[in-house]
Amino acid sequence: EVWFDHLAYCMADPRDAFSLLRGSLGMQWELWELNSEFGGVQVKFSNGLKLELIHPNSHDGNHFTNRFISKNICGPHHLTFRVRDIQKFLSKAEELTIPIIQASLGNELWREFFIHPKEAEGLLIQVAECPVLKASTPPTEWSELSAVAPCNFLRIEHFFHNSENIERIFCRLLGGTREELSGVSKSSTQFNVRFNEDRIIRFINADEGQQPGHHSLVIGESVSADIASAFVSTLGGKLVVEPSGGYTL
């Protein structure tokens, strides 16, 4: 009933990330959607989890993409979960006393609601019902790049303050399975929530004074320090490489 679909970053022009994502990380093309106000490029890992690059397509300073870029330049923006019956999840959110914002149910091809970052421990959550699978032909700027072998997604890491918010939203509402880390007690400050067998978010209790929110994207192939650094400067998010000899920036 729930599919953990993608992690979205916001940036001014997604083409600035094409060389990094295809030429250095081997990600596969999915689609590029545009409307009069904003657009989104989606690329995917070998397991199907996607990264989305949302970007402005107008000069309206009040549009959320332009506001985000004006404040942050670039960075992680939201997590998207796709569901089969959005009305069921709206009702369930009400039962769990999870406040909902910006519910949009009028378009039968895309219904959605959001959970505010203040409720979701620092990152906007999008829950969407879409009965069709979308794809598009990659642009020349993408297809002309030489691709490396696809990198392997391991997990997303996320700082939190309130574990009850994690339990209500990610487990009871969105159906994730909490997993304690091997050799770590249940009272530990770290644990995984697993979706769709191979899509993991690791929640890490933030230190005093540290804000909750997205911490890093973790992959399973070694890349150079220059590539890890380029990820930070291009997308505004941290890239962690888990194998020995990789880099964390």
Side-chain angles (χ1 to χ4, degrees):
E1 292 188 344
V2 181
W3 187 254
F4 179 19
D5 193 70
H6 64 262
L7 163 65
Y9 295 84
C10 187
M11 61 187 304
D13 189 339
R15 289 169 292 195
D16 293 341
F18 282 5
S19 178
L20 169 69
L21 296 175
R22 179 167 168 82
S24 299
L25 299 178
M27 300 197 71
Q28 302 164 0
W29 182 264
E30 185 78 2
L31 63 85
W32 193 347
E33 285 192 299
L34 278 171
N35 62 33
S36 61
E37 296 181 321
F38 77 108
V41 167
Q42 292 188 356
V43 297
K44 60 186 178 182
F45 291 99
S46 55
N47 77 333
L49 183 77
K50 290 175 282 190
L51 298 184
E52 181 176 47
L53 312 178
I54 56 174
H55 62 93
N57 197 36
S58 78
H59 298 292
D60 179 3
N62 288 321
H63 191 265
F64 76 88
T65 53
N66 285 312
R67 293 199 313 269
F68 185 95
I69 290 167
S70 177
K71 180 180 179 180
N72 303 287
I73 302 177
C74 58
H77 186 269
H78 67 266
L79 297 174
T80 294
F81 295 82
R82 293 178 62 162
V83 300
R84 294 185 185 276
D85 182 353
I86 199 164
Q87 192 60 55
K88 176 180 177 180
F89 284 85
L90 280 168
S91 299
K92 194 171 183 180
E94 184 177 1
E95 292 173 8
L96 294 168
T97 65
I98 299 170
I100 297 303
I101 60 173
Q102 298 177 6
S104 177
L105 307 176
N107 182 354
E108 64 180 12
L109 295 180
W110 185 266
R111 299 185 175 101
E112 65 181 6
F113 67 81
F114 293 87
I115 302 171
H116 196 280
K118 289 181 180 178
E119 298 292 330
E121 296 296 302
L123 197 63
L124 183 68
I125 303 298
Q126 179 186 47
V127 180
E129 176 192 325
C130 179
V132 297
L133 294 176
K134 301 178 181 181
S136 69
T137 302
T140 302
E141 299 99 318
W142 178 275
S143 57
E144 287 185 344
L145 292 168
S146 297
V148 298
C151 64
N152 180 35
F153 168 81
L154 294 183
R155 64 184 178 271
I156 291 164
E157 295 189 340
H158 190 94
F159 286 140
F160 74 94
H161 282 163
N162 187 337
S163 61
E164 175 56 27
N165 285 341
I166 303 301
E167 178 68 26
R168 284 192 308 142
I169 294 171
F170 292 92
C171 298
R172 283 186 263 169
L173 176 65
L174 297 173
T177 302
R178 175 168 171 160
E179 299 176 342
E180 310 306 326
L181 302 183
S182 178
V184 177
S185 69
K186 192 170 183 178
S187 61
S188 169
T189 56
Q190 295 189 35
F191 58 90
N192 290 341
V193 176
R194 183 183 296 270
F195 300 89
N196 314 119
E197 296 185 1
D198 59 358
R199 304 181 182 201
I200 295 171
I201 304 174
R202 177 166 296 174
F203 291 98
I204 302 167
N205 197 13
D207 294 333
E208 185 176 352
Q210 192 173 47
Q211 292 299 310
H214 177 78
H215 174 252
S216 58
L217 174 69
V218 184
I219 62 172
E221 276 74 30
S222 293
V223 298
S224 70
D226 287 344
I227 292 172
S229 180
F231 192 95
V232 176
S233 61
T234 304
L235 296 178
K238 188 175 183 179
L239 181 69
V240 172
V241 184
E242 191 153 271
S244 175
Y247 300 87
T248 299
L249 292 181

